[in-house]
Amino acid sequence: MATDPSARLRLRPATPADVPVIRGLIEGLAEYEKLRHECHATDALLHDALFGPRPHAEVVLAEWDGQVAGFALFFHNFSTFLARPGIYLEDLFVRPEQRGHGIGKALLMHLAHVAVQRGCGRLEWSVLDWNVDAIGFYEKLGARAQDEWTVYRVTGDALTHLASGQAGHE
């Protein structure tokens, strides 16, 4: 656990009891990103993914004056070129009314510390290209865009078709 000198900010790992709060933060992020229609997270799905027999991700919660103000959800990936694990930050969100207190920076600093502590070769994430405030924030912290890469994704029916070998047979 980390606490700033003024004791207003506290970072802590999430527990199973935090799942409803995490879901609420995810829904807040989805609203902010104008993607609420794509948010299908439930308490049960989150509980299994974060605290089930094989956890797939971790969450750090940020509390400001004792109230949950934001979160970072992350998981390990792997760099074959570095032959080391990395941390992928899936989501970083601070409630709008709590912004401006350094909470986002504290969460990223915490994840950088975790990455170094765990022997990771990098910390990376994606940002929507219209989110200029976040882009500016990340660049001030030393992050650099990886413009030479294009992200591809397969979901829904396309994922099912690919898994069954039916992809590309239209």
Side-chain angles (χ1 to χ4, degrees):
M1 284 189 240
T3 306
D4 81 347
S6 69
R8 296 188 78 186
L9 176 62
R10 178 176 175 247
L11 303 181
R12 65 174 178 84
T15 67
D18 294 314
V19 167
V21 171
I22 295 167
R23 183 184 38 75
L25 290 164
I26 291 169
E27 290 170 353
L29 173 63
E31 290 286 339
Y32 175 76
E33 291 184 343
K34 302 172 182 74
L35 295 171
R36 184 66 177 95
H37 62 284
E38 293 187 24
C39 185
H40 304 290
T42 66
D43 288 0
L45 289 171
L46 286 169
H47 186 276
D48 187 51
L50 299 173
F51 304 105
R54 185 175 177 207
H56 298 289
E58 299 174 58
V59 172
V60 175
L61 292 173
E63 295 178 344
W64 185 260
D65 287 339
Q67 300 297 314
V68 174
F71 80 118
L73 186 146
F74 66 98
F75 54 88
H76 283 278
N77 56 17
F78 190 81
S79 168
T80 54
F81 287 7
L82 297 176
R84 294 170 65 187
I87 286 181
Y88 187 83
L89 172 61
E90 179 66 24
D91 288 322
L92 174 74
F93 180 70
V94 176
R95 290 187 169 132
E97 63 275 14
Q98 298 293 343
R99 293 180 186 155
H101 298 301
I103 297 169
K105 182 178 180 181
L107 284 165
L108 281 170
M109 288 173 56
H110 178 78
L111 288 185
H113 178 76
V114 170
V116 169
Q117 191 176 45
R118 294 181 184 181
C120 296
R122 62 185 174 205
L123 167 61
E124 60 190 350
W125 60 90
S126 298
V127 60
L128 291 165
D129 58 8
W130 58 260
N131 196 345
V132 294
D133 290 340
I135 292 167
F137 168 67
Y138 297 144
E139 289 179 351
K140 282 182 188 173
L141 296 178
R144 297 293 168 250
Q146 302 295 298
D147 294 330
E148 65 275 11
W149 293 90
T150 300
V151 175
Y152 280 85
R153 180 178 294 164
V154 180
T155 62
D157 290 341
L159 178 61
T160 304
H161 284 112
L162 181 58
S164 68
Q166 296 175 16
H169 291 103
E170 282 80 54

